[in-house]
Amino acid sequence: MSEVYRRYRALLEVSNVLNSQREMASLWQACTERIKEVVPWERAGVLLYAPEEDGFRFHALETSVPKRVLQRDTIIPRTGSAVGWVYDHRKIHVRPYLQELQVFLEDQYYAEEGLGRMVNFPLLARGKCLGTLNIGSIASGEPDSETLEFLSQIAIQVALAIENVQAYEQLTQLSQQLAKQNAYLTEEIKQEYNFGLLVGKSESLRKVMAQIEAVAATPTTVLITGETGTGKELVARAIHESSLRHKKPFVRLNCAALPGGLVESELFGHERGAFTGAVQRHQGRFELAHEGTLFLDEIGEMPLEVQAKLLRVLEDHQVDRVGGVRSVPVDVRLIAATNLDLAQAVLERRFRADLYYRLNVFPIMLPPLRDRSQDVPLLAQHFLQLCRVKLKRGNLTFHDSALTRLAQYDWPGNIRELENVVERAAILASTHIVDIDERVVMPRPRQSTVVEQPTSVPDSERLHILQVLERAGWRIYGPLGAANRLGVNPSTLRSRMKKLGLSRPTFPAPLEQASPSCSSTIAANRESV
């Protein structure tokens, strides 16, 4: 078999391999095997230019030298390097006698590895230089012109293949992002949110609506506070829908719904291999909300270490993925919400003061439903209309006394509780008349804790733990839980509670409790104002 035939056959095989692969690792390994059949080498690599560092990173590397000095994670600067010279001049560069003469920065490392010759080829694709193909051998001396021509053709094929792989990866990334955005939109449609719907005419609600109108058109960060069930997420949506970003994604994250170890990955994203189970790159909520709005609910539950990173994102407008080596710029309007007193949390060192002041640029305080009694009938009629559609009972109507009874209740669960009560009453109605009676809503007495004066050390300990539990709302876990306030492990706290006879107070059946037949229906509640 002639030498020319072997080279053409190898070139054809390399071309076929490059056109059939979509991952650079498998592509490069198959490619180097074909090259070695024609041109002996001990070190072969592909370096691609990284504009953000003005240097070159190894995109692929194969070597059989016993001593490897220039590692794969090395960044070679553009200035003073052989790859930089080839990139700038778009010409082949040969150093035939590396052991006698080192011209560029990386040559001394190649000489330490025992290489006698290094040849660099520009990777040119559609008039653009992507980086270099580097072929090194222990043998020294000038390579013949046929070898250079063969390797030049290989470099052209590699450059085109890399361009195709990069385009494929970009399309895959965009496709995944669109799929995730579509999932968010589908979820919101299923939950039947009525964007911008604020039901009521009370003075306190009018003040909230005026604040929404004032801040919506700005990029200002908003902090929404108020008791649970007052409609904080709906207000956040109303701000987004009234803003210039309304055509972009509205992405939400409940900071209390995820374990502390996953909040960072879910918020900022992670790279493939960043931790066990990270089998592919994951875009965080910030990247999904790019040019749109990110709503962080229950932000008071965010771990302190994540708070520091969130503050940096708000200041630099850049996200660092877990396991990533470079920052990703993001343009996101942030809206946060909490039912906790963040100012008190700052004093107790459970929330960062710098982040609190960064979030508290434009605070909106939502009034509880007991302060909006004149809005109760309007909200009840609104929820009954939703029940007519959901239950397919279009003739449902309230009993004459129903709205009066609803207005007399103090609604500790606020609007969410009112919605549950109306839905439960509609389900229990045997006719088209919906009444409000003891089956649906009843006064729930508050259980007061009688604290006796401590007479011993165990009594003092019991009183102290009881007071901390009550201040934490009987929550044990999380940065705002009783265990963290006491500075003990949650399992230790549970053990002490059991020993001291402490348990969470029980109340009469809450209004949110429903029969099994309607539990799935009630679980799909929305927040409305």
Side-chain angles (χ1 to χ4, degrees):
M1 183 185 299
S2 68
E3 184 67 22
V4 174
Y5 177 79
R6 286 200 309 117
R7 288 181 176 179
Y8 276 115
R9 192 187 70 171
L11 183 60
L12 179 61
E13 291 177 351
V14 167
S15 179
N16 291 334
V17 168
L18 295 177
N19 288 327
S20 62
Q21 299 291 335
R22 286 293 177 267
E23 292 186 358
M24 192 60 198
S26 56
L27 178 153
W28 180 242
Q29 185 176 6
C31 182
T32 52
E33 290 175 358
R34 302 303 186 279
I35 296 174
K36 206 163 193 176
E37 294 176 359
V38 179
V39 179
W41 56 265
E42 280 72 38
R43 183 183 180 98
V46 171
L47 288 116
L48 299 184
Y49 179 64
E52 67 277 5
E53 296 162 340
D54 194 27
F56 297 84
R57 288 182 172 275
F58 279 101
H59 197 62
L61 177 63
E62 289 287 333
T63 180
S64 60
V65 294
K67 180 182 180 181
R68 183 185 296 186
V69 180
L70 203 58
Q71 302 294 334
R72 180 167 182 151
D73 58 353
T74 304
I75 300 176
I76 300 178
R78 179 176 178 178
T79 304
S81 65
V83 291
W85 186 95
V86 172
Y87 180 85
D88 290 336
H89 294 82
R90 303 190 178 188
K91 295 180 179 179
I92 303 172
H93 197 284
V94 181
R95 276 99 65 219
Y97 302 102
L98 280 177
Q99 294 299 322
E100 289 79 19
L101 179 63
Q102 292 93 45
V103 180
F104 297 103
L105 291 175
E106 62 268 46
D107 287 354
Q108 59 179 343
Y109 302 114
Y110 292 143
E112 290 181 33
E113 291 182 354
L115 297 180
R117 178 176 63 211
M118 176 59 69
V119 186
N120 304 102
F121 300 85
L123 295 176
L124 302 174
R126 308 181 199 281
K128 179 182 178 182
C129 187
L130 305 178
T132 65
L133 168 66
N134 313 307
I135 302 295
S137 60
I138 293 179
S140 59
E142 292 283 353
D144 57 69
S145 58
E146 290 80 7
T147 298
L148 292 178
E149 176 61 26
F150 169 73
L151 293 175
S152 296
Q153 294 298 321
I154 294 292
I156 294 175
Q157 297 297 323
V158 170
L160 293 174
I162 290 175
E163 187 182 48
N164 291 336
V165 169
Q166 290 176 338
Y168 177 78
E169 290 176 348
Q170 290 175 358
L171 287 174
T172 302
Q173 184 177 351
L174 288 174
S175 177
Q176 291 174 349
Q177 183 174 359
L178 288 174
K180 290 182 179 180
Q181 291 177 359
N182 182 63
Y184 277 111
L185 294 175
T186 302
E187 179 184 353
E188 307 310 339
I189 292 173
K190 287 182 179 179
Q191 294 183 11
E192 299 178 359
Y193 277 106
N194 195 339
F195 298 138
L197 179 61
L198 300 174
V199 177
K201 58 181 180 180
S202 62
E203 184 62 28
S204 56
L205 180 61
R206 289 179 182 176
K207 291 180 180 179
V208 171
M209 294 175 69
Q211 289 178 298
I212 292 174
E213 184 179 357
V215 77
T218 72
T220 303
T221 301
V222 179
L223 177 62
I224 305 172
T225 58
E227 297 179 7
T228 181
T230 51
K232 294 184 285 293
E233 182 173 344
L234 189 63
V235 171
R237 292 177 177 278
I239 294 173
H240 173 74
E241 290 299 312
S242 302
S243 71
L244 300 177
R245 300 171 180 258
H246 66 277
K247 293 184 179 180
K248 299 297 182 178
F250 177 89
V251 178
R252 59 179 180 170
L253 176 66
N254 190 313
C255 301
L258 295 172
L262 294 181
V263 173
E264 181 180 357
S265 171
E266 193 63 31
L267 196 57
F268 308 123
H270 63 252
E271 295 288 352
R272 178 181 180 182
F275 49 84
T276 303
V279 296
Q280 62 182 4
R281 174 184 292 175
H282 170 70
Q283 287 185 319
R285 302 298 174 97
F286 265 101
E287 290 185 72
L288 290 175
H290 182 59
E291 297 184 341
T293 302
L294 176 61
F295 174 59
L296 297 181
D297 199 6
E298 302 292 352
I299 196 168
E301 302 286 354
M302 180 176 288
L304 283 170
E305 60 271 18
V306 182
Q307 292 180 25
K309 296 183 178 181
L310 174 60
L311 178 65
R312 181 171 180 268
V313 174
L314 295 178
E315 292 176 344
D316 300 342
H317 304 288
Q318 291 184 330
V319 169
D320 292 322
R321 298 192 191 106
V322 178
V325 296
R326 62 178 181 177
S327 300
V328 179
V330 290
D331 174 19
V332 173
R333 200 260 183 90
L334 183 68
I335 301 177
T338 182
N339 58 4
L340 302 176
D341 185 351
L342 289 187
Q344 181 63 30
V346 169
L347 294 177
E348 296 175 2
R349 299 184 181 276
R350 293 180 287 107
F351 199 85
R352 293 181 62 98
D354 45 8
L355 178 59
Y356 170 68
Y357 294 121
R358 187 68 178 78
L359 294 173
N360 200 34
V361 179
F362 194 90
I364 297 180
M365 175 67 182
L366 300 188
L369 189 54
R370 60 181 173 273
D371 295 341
R372 298 172 50 196
S373 57
Q374 67 185 105
D375 291 338
V376 172
L378 294 174
L379 284 164
Q381 291 286 6
H382 167 67
F383 292 137
L384 185 62
Q385 175 58 33
L386 295 180
C387 289
R388 293 187 186 111
V389 176
K390 179 183 294 185
L391 304 178
K392 295 181 173 59
R393 298 174 64 183
N395 61 344
L396 291 177
T397 184
F398 277 120
H399 188 276
D400 294 340
S401 62
L403 294 179
T404 302
R405 292 179 181 177
L406 290 175
Q408 292 173 348
Y409 188 60
D410 63 352
W411 301 110
N414 292 294
I415 299 163
R416 186 182 294 116
E417 183 182 10
L418 173 60
E419 182 179 15
N420 291 344
V421 166
V422 172
E423 184 168 358
R424 183 154 60 252
I427 293 172
L428 294 174
S430 57
T431 66
H432 71 283
I433 301 298
V434 179
D435 198 5
I436 304 296
D437 53 28
E438 64 277 0
R439 297 178 304 163
V440 178
V441 59
M442 65 179 69
R444 291 177 296 179
R446 296 181 180 272
Q447 178 171 323
S448 59
T449 304
V450 179
V451 181
E452 300 179 357
Q453 292 296 325
T455 58
S456 63
V457 173
D459 289 341
S460 299
E461 181 184 13
R462 186 179 190 279
L463 175 60
H464 177 58
I465 293 177
L466 177 62
Q467 291 173 341
V468 173
L469 285 167
E470 289 178 338
R471 285 199 298 269
W474 288 88
R475 179 180 298 165
I476 295 177
Y477 295 88
L480 301 182
N484 188 56
R485 297 186 184 205
L486 290 168
V488 299
N489 189 282
S491 60
T492 303
L493 176 57
R494 284 192 177 278
S495 176
R496 296 302 301 164
M497 289 172 59
K498 183 177 180 180
K499 183 176 181 180
L500 296 171
L502 289 173
S503 61
R504 184 169 186 161
T506 57
F507 297 91
L511 294 179
E512 291 78 357
Q513 182 179 354
S515 62
S517 61
C518 60
S519 61
S520 60
T521 304
I522 295 178
N525 291 317
R526 303 165 310 280
E527 288 189 354
S528 302
V529 179

